[in-house]
Amino acid sequence: MLIRKRISFAHELNDQQRAVVTSGEGPVLVIAGAGSGKTRTLTYRVAYLIEQGVDPFSLLLVTFTNKAAQDMLNRVATLVPHDVKKLWGGTFHHIANRILRVHAPRLGFQSNFTILDQQDAIDLLNSCLMDLGYKKKSKLLPQGAVLSRMFSLAHNMRLSLPELIEQRQPYFIQCLKEINAIYQHYTKKKQQLNLLDFDDLLIYWLRLMEEDAALKEFYARRFCHILVDEYQDTNKLQADIIDTLAYLHKNLMVVGDDSQSIYSFRGADFSNIIDFPRRYPGTRIYKLEYNYRSTPEILHLANQSIIYNEKQFRKELRPMRSHSVHPLFVPVESVFHQAAFVSHTIQEFLSAGMRPGNIAVLYRAHYHSMELQMQLTRLGISFEIRSGIRFFEQAHIKDIAAYLKILLNPFDEVAWKRILQFLPAIGKVRSQRVWERLANSSNPLIECRDAAIETYIPPVAKPFWANLCGVLQALAHAGREVSPGLLIKTIMDGGYQEYMRTRYHDPTSRSEDIERFMEFGSHYNGLGDFLAELALLTSVDAEDVAADEGRETIKLTTIHQAKGLEWPVVFVISLAEGSFPNPRTIYRQEDEEEERRLFYVAVTRAKDHLYLCSPLTLGEHGPPVKPSRFIRELPQHCFAKLPAPGVVYDYR
């Protein structure tokens, strides 16, 4: 039999980690700075509790991925001579599923309920729209994908639908009656079919405990010690669940970093972590500040940035590595010069032997990467988009391109069918019939305005058909030789903006993409060259994706998608006012502070080399812009300035 030695906490942990691991009972808040070893600390805390005689059966470990929980438990199993299989560990949804499998009958469900994945939930919502006859209404109503995100946010933020719509989607206020009806029907249908979506798992878990005092006490007594990872990312619903479980023993340890709270758009509630000591009087606060990831120079810049936030637990990341090069601030003439600089520097790193997977480019919004994607594609440098799909392959970009393709070639069958299916009650079958009628004409752009074609259009779709014909007529009147940017603006002004709101859950970011697409189009004098370039770029993209499978590539990602990751070389691009912070998200001081936390997350992803790139104009002919306020507020000694050729600029 293998006999394990007792853990030498003094040898295996630094003093800050050890203080957390060996802390006593009661509520504990651990402020874990970036790269400070919080996973190791949590793992050793679990091992310490077991070594002190706490039954693994009475421990609950909540993480944001099941893999993280499993990795921790596997490590704990190597540290202590106990069976840790009795310990419950996993995501909120994983634990909710275990509890509801036992208690579902109390809620009117059978224990063998099926969990809907995201696409299944969207499909069921679209089915509900059909059931209620809303697919045949002339009113533009939100569709399944939008409704799914709307209902999810309302649940996670614990808001009523009217409150959520007023705060987040006021353009749907006039649809509130229909949205409520859809929600009620969706809820009833799930119960009839014994289905739960992801949010139901948490809603019903909390409802069980709120409505059944005995059950609440049972689980509160069972889980004597509760540990929660990434607490800064929890929403109101998740925090309420934890508070309900911990009300009895109050042996609750939450671990997170308030300076990395960046997901309010998903419903994460910053007040969960910042107000934790107020909710739990007597809370002991520990800080993990030793950073094992980044150079002292990068950490100094990060520390100097976050001090401007008023709402925070003050801390200072302390480097455990030796000194190296300073971060570089790089002002460039435009987003096109930025793309050239970044791609050229990447080539230099690759030529020096740097692995592609060790290089990442981070940005505030997906559209900031458009010019860089184009430049890397032209240079044959393979890259992977972690923040979604490649720019020109996005659905809304292809939607806009479909209009333009019809103007260039009125007999483009694929483009016609794409935009026909934007209309209510027109699917694949009916769009085929309409297309066959158009295809037999001498010019579909002229034929579409003929009264005879309306016999093929269902009554509910006729107002939308008239609008579509109006947009196509406006495009035809403008002609193929004008700037494609102007044509794209015509499409947006002709109703596509409203269409996006009903079909896509993130219309604001998609609008930003299309604005950048419009700017891209303004560089071309005619539609033919523009669409040819677009087709070539898309074709090369597809070839690259196929070739890149199984091969290490450079990473392009939004900062939100990069959290928790690290790379030796990091470029943060488009650090200019009007781009970062995003002016569309800043209405209050707390909004600006979240944007500053986003900048902090970006720079703390870098291990060795950090480049901060700032275009001096956002378009080729746009007005000059200042570097981001998050650059301008930094002391100049935090970085070295590396102006691109021809650029002389005072960063202040």
Side-chain angles (χ1 to χ4, degrees):
M1 178 179 178
L2 178 64
I3 300 177
R4 294 185 179 91
K5 296 180 180 179
R6 291 183 65 86
I7 304 167
S8 175
F9 295 102
H11 177 71
E12 299 189 30
L13 303 168
N14 66 41
D15 57 337
Q16 292 183 342
Q17 294 170 336
R18 187 166 60 254
V20 172
V21 167
T22 60
S23 62
E25 296 191 333
V28 172
L29 171 61
V30 182
I31 303 300
S36 62
K38 72 175 178 63
T39 300
R40 182 178 184 83
T41 304
L42 261 179
T43 301
Y44 275 77
R45 171 64 174 176
V46 173
Y48 174 80
L49 291 172
I50 294 172
E51 196 174 77
Q52 294 300 303
V54 176
D55 188 342
F57 182 78
S58 67
L59 293 174
L60 177 64
L61 173 63
V62 185
T63 61
F64 265 73
T65 66
N66 287 317
K67 182 180 183 301
Q70 194 56 55
D71 289 346
M72 287 189 207
L73 296 182
N74 289 341
R75 177 60 177 148
V76 170
T78 68
L79 294 173
V80 294
H82 294 271
D83 182 9
V84 298
K85 292 180 181 178
K86 296 187 295 179
L87 190 159
W88 278 25
T91 64
F92 281 93
H93 297 89
H94 172 81
I95 295 159
N97 177 55
R98 293 188 67 169
I99 289 175
L100 292 179
R101 291 295 173 189
V102 178
H103 304 293
R106 300 186 187 210
L107 298 162
F109 291 88
Q110 299 174 37
S111 294
N112 65 338
F113 59 81
T114 301
I115 300 173
L116 295 167
D117 65 23
Q118 189 173 29
Q119 188 57 52
D120 289 339
I122 290 170
D123 291 344
L124 187 61
L125 279 163
N126 283 326
S127 175
C128 290
L129 284 162
M130 292 287 290
D131 294 344
L132 295 171
Y134 289 157
K135 287 285 189 180
K136 297 180 180 180
K137 282 189 175 289
S138 59
K139 194 173 184 180
L140 266 179
L141 292 172
Q143 301 299 296
V146 178
L147 291 166
S148 176
R149 178 60 65 93
M150 181 190 297
F151 297 163
S152 178
L153 266 178
H155 286 316
N156 290 326
M157 297 175 73
R158 304 209 76 184
L159 296 174
S160 67
L161 281 173
E163 289 171 331
L164 187 280
I165 289 171
E166 183 178 0
Q167 288 185 24
R168 296 289 185 107
Q169 297 165 301
Y171 41 82
F172 285 136
I173 288 175
Q174 74 274 13
C175 305
L176 189 54
K177 180 181 176 182
E178 291 90 346
I179 290 171
N180 272 318
I182 296 165
Y183 177 76
Q184 296 299 328
H185 186 59
Y186 177 59
T187 302
K188 182 179 179 181
K189 196 164 187 174
K190 285 184 292 182
Q191 189 124 26
Q192 291 172 342
L193 299 173
N194 201 35
L195 303 171
L196 297 178
D197 62 29
F198 283 132
D199 297 305
D200 290 331
L201 293 172
L202 304 192
I203 286 288
Y204 286 124
W205 179 13
L206 182 58
R207 183 179 299 177
L208 272 174
M209 295 189 291
E210 287 181 335
E211 296 179 354
D212 190 328
L215 195 65
K216 172 183 174 181
E217 183 177 348
F218 171 80
Y219 282 106
R221 287 193 179 280
R222 170 178 174 170
F223 297 124
C224 298
H225 286 270
I226 301 171
L227 302 94
V228 185
D229 192 15
E230 301 287 4
Y231 191 68
Q232 80 282 342
D233 294 337
T234 55
N235 55 48
K236 182 70 167 62
L237 174 59
Q238 292 165 334
D240 287 350
I241 289 171
I242 294 300
D243 290 348
T244 304
L245 286 173
Y247 87 96
L248 199 59
H249 296 292
K250 290 188 169 54
N251 292 326
L252 172 61
M253 176 179 284
V254 298
V255 181
D257 184 0
D258 57 299
S259 296
Q260 297 188 68
S261 178
I262 59 173
Y263 295 120
S264 64
F265 70 97
R266 295 181 186 170
D269 193 336
F270 182 62
S271 68
N272 288 348
I273 191 167
I274 208 72
D275 293 338
F276 186 84
R278 182 182 57 78
R279 295 205 324 276
Y280 286 87
T283 292
R284 297 189 307 284
I285 300 175
Y286 296 89
K287 298 178 182 179
L288 301 179
E289 299 172 301
Y290 296 123
N291 178 285
Y292 296 87
R293 173 187 299 159
S294 305
T295 64
E297 290 78 9
I298 291 172
L299 295 183
H300 180 61
L301 185 148
N303 288 330
Q304 289 297 308
S305 171
I306 203 64
I307 61 173
Y308 290 95
N309 275 9
E310 292 183 10
K311 274 193 164 185
Q312 64 168 303
F313 294 101
R314 299 284 174 183
K315 65 179 178 301
E316 182 175 352
L317 296 178
R318 306 180 190 179
M320 300 302 289
R321 295 181 53 192
S322 57
H323 286 277
S324 185
V325 297
H326 275 82
L328 288 175
F329 167 59
V330 188
V332 289
E333 290 183 3
S334 70
V335 290
F336 303 99
H337 291 84
Q338 174 178 257
F341 168 77
V342 172
S343 58
H344 174 73
T345 308
I346 286 173
Q347 284 181 314
E348 289 184 334
F349 273 114
L350 295 177
S351 297
M354 178 70 70
R355 290 168 46 199
N358 286 340
I359 303 173
V361 182
L362 277 53
Y363 34 84
R364 172 65 180 83
H366 189 49
Y367 74 88
H368 292 158
S369 68
M370 188 193 80
E371 294 82 8
L372 180 60
Q373 289 188 42
M374 292 166 54
Q375 183 70 5
L376 292 174
T377 299
R378 290 174 179 137
L379 294 174
I381 299 175
S382 299
F383 60 93
E384 173 191 347
I385 306 289
R386 290 187 56 89
S387 52
I389 60 177
R390 298 190 175 208
F391 187 87
F392 297 110
E393 284 296 311
Q394 296 177 106
H396 49 295
I397 299 298
K398 296 178 79 169
D399 288 348
I400 297 294
Y403 285 90
L404 302 178
K405 288 177 180 179
I406 289 172
L407 176 59
L408 184 67
N409 173 15
F411 288 92
D412 190 320
E413 176 180 353
V414 174
W416 269 108
K417 287 181 178 178
R418 186 178 188 97
I419 65 170
L420 281 168
Q421 290 179 45
F422 294 169
L423 278 58
I426 293 186
K428 292 182 179 179
V429 174
R430 196 177 293 269
S431 66
Q432 176 65 27
R433 292 175 186 165
V434 175
W435 163 247
E436 288 173 354
R437 177 69 175 80
L438 291 169
N440 288 322
S441 68
S442 59
N443 187 335
L445 269 177
I446 297 174
E447 178 69 15
C448 71
R449 299 194 296 273
D450 194 295
I453 198 71
E454 286 200 17
T455 60
Y456 291 81
I457 306 299
V460 67
K462 286 185 178 179
F464 300 96
W465 171 254
N467 181 75
L468 173 60
C469 290
V471 173
L472 292 174
Q473 187 173 6
L475 292 175
H477 180 73
R480 304 169 185 171
E481 303 307 316
V482 303
S483 164
L486 292 176
L487 298 175
I488 294 170
K489 186 177 187 305
T490 300
I491 296 165
M492 289 297 285
D493 293 345
Y496 186 77
Q497 182 79 50
E498 289 71 24
Y499 172 82
M500 266 200 314
R501 289 173 176 169
T502 65
R503 292 304 190 275
Y504 302 123
H505 67 78
D506 52 350
T508 300
S509 64
R510 291 177 190 258
S511 292
E512 292 170 343
D513 286 345
I514 292 173
E515 286 175 13
R516 185 55 63 90
F517 190 42
M518 202 181 303
E519 167 66 23
F520 173 55
S522 69
H523 298 292
Y524 293 80
N525 295 322
L527 189 56
D529 289 344
F530 175 71
L531 288 177
E533 175 77 356
L534 191 61
L536 290 171
L537 285 169
T538 305
S539 174
V540 174
D541 278 356
E543 293 171 4
D544 283 350
V545 170
D548 290 346
E549 290 183 2
R551 189 170 70 182
E552 192 174 325
T553 58
I554 291 163
K555 304 298 183 286
L556 273 60
T557 176
T558 62
I559 303 165
H560 286 103
Q561 291 289 334
K563 185 172 167 292
L565 303 174
E566 60 184 44
W567 294 273
V569 180
V570 169
F571 298 84
V572 186
I573 63 173
S574 293
L575 283 166
E577 286 296 314
S579 293
F580 195 166
N582 186 335
R584 298 186 184 186
T585 65
I586 296 183
Y587 302 102
R588 306 160 299 173
Q589 179 181 339
E590 46 262 50
D591 299 329
E592 179 174 324
E593 292 202 352
E594 179 164 344
E595 290 286 301
R596 187 176 286 107
R597 293 195 294 269
L598 194 60
F599 176 72
Y600 176 85
V601 168
V603 299
T604 54
R605 300 311 94 201
K607 297 170 68 175
D608 305 316
H609 300 276
L610 174 63
Y611 293 84
L612 306 172
C613 301
S614 175
L616 306 187
T617 60
L618 297 184
E620 188 173 25
H621 306 295
V625 292
K626 294 179 180 179
S628 166
R629 67 195 68 177
F630 305 139
I631 296 290
R632 301 199 317 273
E633 67 193 9
L634 289 169
Q636 293 196 43
H637 68 264
C638 288
F639 50 76
K641 283 180 280 188
L642 181 66
V647 175
V648 179
Y649 190 72
D650 179 357
Y651 89 107
R652 294 281 182 184

